[in-house]
Amino acid sequence: QVHLEESGGGLVQPGGSLRLSCAASGNIFSIDAMGWFRQAPGKERELVAVEPSGGSTNYADSVKGRFTISRDNSKNTVYLQMNSLKPEDTAVYYCNAKIRSKSDYALGYRRVYNYWGQGTQVTVSS
């Protein structure tokens, strides 16, 4: 089993900054990608940013130039630095990771499992 532990959400004024963190732990052989999604009230969950292992980072158009995703592979951790926050960035932010397990690897399998964090609230308001 794999656990994603998120932190860093909160209340911030428009124009402010927040940094989210998400650490993966457990039955991990390798991580194909880590990223962030968000869901505002009454809306569907949407991609914010994703960083594949060995691939190009992808951002939602609405956050380009303001948000930066980064990973510390030694800690199985992904970060989301959010600057110039706007009220429309208010949402629950979810960490996502696509992981291959140690136990699968030992058995010769190479399946990719999709995991989600519990979500952290980000509120941008004056």
Side-chain angles (χ1 to χ4, degrees), residues 46-59:
E46 63 176 2
L47 172 72
V48 176
V50 63
E51 184 168 321
S53 298
S56 300
T57 301
N58 187 32
Y59 292 94

Side-chain angles (χ1 to χ4, degrees), residues 43-90:
K43 294 188 177 181
E44 293 188 354
R45 191 173 296 188
E46 63 176 2
L47 172 72
V48 176
V50 63
E51 184 168 321
S53 298
S56 300
T57 301
N58 187 32
Y59 292 94
D61 288 343
S62 59
V63 307
K64 284 180 181 177
R66 300 188 298 120
F67 291 10
T68 303
I69 189 172
S70 61
R71 286 173 58 180
D72 184 338
N73 293 326
S74 68
K75 298 179 180 179
N76 290 335
T77 298
V78 63
Y79 305 95
L80 186 67
Q81 178 65 44
M82 304 184 293
N83 299 329
S84 302
L85 282 160
K86 304 175 181 179
E88 50 264 44
D89 294 317
T90 295

Side-chain angles (χ1 to χ4, degrees), residues 3-15:
H3 178 67
L4 301 183
E5 184 69 32
E6 301 170 3
S7 61
L11 173 65
V12 64
Q13 292 186 342

